[in-house]
Amino acid sequence: MMRSGFTTGSAATAASAAAAYMLFSGKIKEKVTIITPAGVPYNASIVEIRREERAVSCAVRKDGGDDPDITTGSLIFSKVEIVNEDGAETEILIDGGAGVGRVTKAGLDRAVGEAAINTVPRKMIESELKKISEDFDFKGKISVTISVPGGEELAAKTFNPRLGIVGGISILGTSGIVKPMSLEAIRDTIKAELSVKRAEGRRIAVLTPGNYGRDFLKDNYSYNIDDAVQCANFIGDSIDMAAEAGFEAVLLIGALGKLVKLAGGIMNTHSREADCRMEILSAAAVRAGMELESVRGILASVTTEDALRIISEKGFTDKVMSDLSFRAADALERRAGGRIMTGLMIYSNSFGLLGKTDNALELLEESRT
């Protein structure tokens, strides 16, 4: 069984709690336990302790469990400092230091100009520090600065640059824990990208499953690939999120190997969810009138590119792709349920554009503005 880990938000909270305790007690604390929003205790080791007269800084090493998170092993620092001691109640100011990103685009969890420390981690930190302040009968203003050495370099490997978060990583987490290969994290990223695009005033969301779709747009339509949102395998979820974000339309552009599954009503295109590409292609070939031996060849194909060669050699590309495009587009419309307009473009690396809805090119042009 794969081991779960803890978010950057949990690490920042644990470091903040330990720093606050040491600041008020004057004692060293090398272990701290917090309760994550999921109800799971996090027992963190405290390292890199630095004490001053009115401030303490320390770190927790990020433990992502068995999830391949690039932040795993990074030190998440928190510096807790007394600003003043004459308040009627405890006030906690939270900001990001070196290695923590800054928001430059509207539509994200935080406002433009703020540190990319999301709402749940902020609440976690505030909750822990208020409890510790009460334990030591402190009333006043405390500042908390979260920093991550090397965070700017790590961020270059994340979606942060595309989201308009500059200068470092984000301090994230809604449950406080990280599940290996977290699908929730991928969905959250898609939702955040869509939110940014909508906040920029865009009415049409252009979705591509991956980089190949972005390259197809760039090479064939001179499209700014940064305007497209990568939806990975989550076609259905992305349509739902685009509708919820207030987009008027969605244009999905992808390779046949992924989007052929839509013709079978499959809205999560990952192979572990469903892989009946050749069966769907073969059914379309039968409907198009291809003879049985060629259909058997399609069924025996390893890739959709191989299957397309058979279809092309027999002169059935237009008929088969017309059938598939119609059925895939119908599946998208059914998923949208009248909430949002949908469009579709299907291509092949070897054969180029294979099929599209009547509104596809119009939506693509409108999405540029």
Side-chain angles (χ1 to χ4, degrees), residues 178-199:
V178 175
K179 296 179 181 178
M181 299 300 290
S182 174
L183 300 182
E184 179 185 358
I186 299 173
R187 290 189 182 95
D188 287 346
T189 298
I190 297 168
K191 185 175 183 178
E193 278 209 73
L194 286 168
S195 181
V196 168
K197 302 300 183 194
R198 187 69 190 102

Side-chain angles (χ1 to χ4, degrees), residues 221-238:
Y221 298 95
S222 300
Y223 194 81
N224 182 358
I225 58 175
D226 290 335
D227 291 342
V229 174
Q230 287 186 243
C231 61
N233 295 295
F234 301 104
I235 309 297
D237 287 340
S238 296

Side-chain angles (χ1 to χ4, degrees), residues 9 13 23 80 101 148 220 229 235 237 259 264 282 304 367:
T13 300
L23 179 62
V80 178
V148 183
N220 292 276
V229 174
I235 309 297
D237 287 340
L259 301 195
S282 297
T304 53
S367 73

Side-chain angles (χ1 to χ4, degrees), residues 21-338:
Y21 176 85
M22 288 187 278
L23 179 62
F24 294 135
S25 70
K27 299 176 182 178
I28 294 293
K29 193 171 186 66
E30 296 180 336
K31 296 280 185 181
V32 70
T33 299
I34 65 167
I35 304 299
T36 63
V40 178
Y42 178 28
N43 304 306
S45 297
I46 306 302
V47 297
E48 302 284 339
I49 297 169
R50 301 166 192 165
R51 295 194 292 172
E52 304 171 22
E53 182 179 349
R54 295 172 65 85
V56 172
S57 171
C58 63
V60 167
R61 195 170 295 280
K62 167 70 172 2
D63 175 15
D66 291 329
D67 187 72
D69 187 332
I70 63 163
T71 62
T72 292
S74 299
L75 288 174
I76 312 297
F77 276 88
S78 177
K79 181 177 182 180
V80 178
E81 185 171 8
I82 296 172
V83 178
N84 66 57
E85 303 175 65
D86 55 2
E89 57 184 10
T90 302
E91 182 182 356
I92 300 167
L93 308 176
I94 300 173
D95 201 0
V100 173
R102 288 272 160 190
V103 176
T104 66
K105 293 183 179 180
L108 294 173
D109 181 276
R110 307 309 303 173
V112 171
E114 290 190 15
I117 304 172
N118 279 11
T119 297
V120 172
R122 286 175 183 269
K123 288 182 177 178
M124 291 169 66
I125 293 169
E126 288 173 357
S127 176
E128 290 293 331
L129 266 59
K130 283 183 177 179
K131 285 189 292 185
I132 294 169
S133 296
E134 289 174 5
D135 290 343
F136 288 93
D137 197 27
F138 174 86
K139 292 182 180 179
K141 185 181 293 186
I142 309 168
S143 71
V144 180
T145 305
I146 307 299
S147 58
V148 183
E152 188 166 3
E153 291 77 14
L154 288 174
K157 303 173 185 177
T158 72
F159 279 93
N160 273 14
R162 290 182 60 191
L163 294 173
I165 298 172
V166 301
I169 67 167
S170 300
I171 305 299
L172 302 170
T174 53
S175 65
I177 60 174
V178 175
K179 296 179 181 178
M181 299 300 290
S182 174
L183 300 182
E184 179 185 358
I186 299 173
R187 290 189 182 95
D188 287 346
T189 298
I190 297 168
K191 185 175 183 178
E193 278 209 73
L194 286 168
S195 181
V196 168
K197 302 300 183 194
R198 187 69 190 102
E200 290 174 347
R202 297 184 182 275
R203 300 177 296 107
I204 297 162
V206 175
L207 304 177
T208 64
N211 286 323
Y212 288 138
R214 287 154 55 86
D215 291 343
F216 175 79
L217 282 173
K218 179 183 177 182
D219 295 342
N220 292 276
Y221 298 95
S222 300
Y223 194 81
N224 182 358
I225 58 175
D226 290 335
D227 291 342
V229 174
Q230 287 186 243
C231 61
N233 295 295
F234 301 104
I235 309 297
D237 287 340
S238 296
I239 291 171
D240 295 342
M241 289 186 280
E244 291 165 6
F247 284 94
E248 296 176 14
V250 152
L251 175 61
L252 174 65
I253 302 168
L256 178 64
K258 285 280 186 190
L259 301 195
V260 64
K261 297 179 183 182
L262 295 181
I266 297 164
M267 288 289 135
N268 184 326
T269 57
H270 197 289
S271 57
R272 70 166 168 256
E273 297 292 330
D275 189 8
C276 48
R277 295 166 297 160
M278 302 313 161
E279 289 80 1
I280 294 172
L281 268 173
S282 297
V286 170
R287 287 190 295 268
M290 285 185 68
E291 41 85 22
L292 184 58
E293 193 61 32
S294 295
V295 174
R296 287 197 179 107
I298 295 170
L299 280 170
S301 297
V302 176
T303 68
T304 53
E305 293 287 320
D306 291 336
L308 269 176
R309 289 188 185 94
I310 296 172
I311 295 168
S312 177
E313 287 168 3
K314 297 298 180 180
F316 278 85
T317 303
D318 289 345
K319 286 185 178 180
V320 170
M321 288 312 306
S322 177
D323 179 279
L324 282 175
S325 298
F326 172 80
R327 292 173 184 275
D330 182 64
L332 290 179
E333 284 189 14
R334 282 187 278 113
R335 181 59 178 248

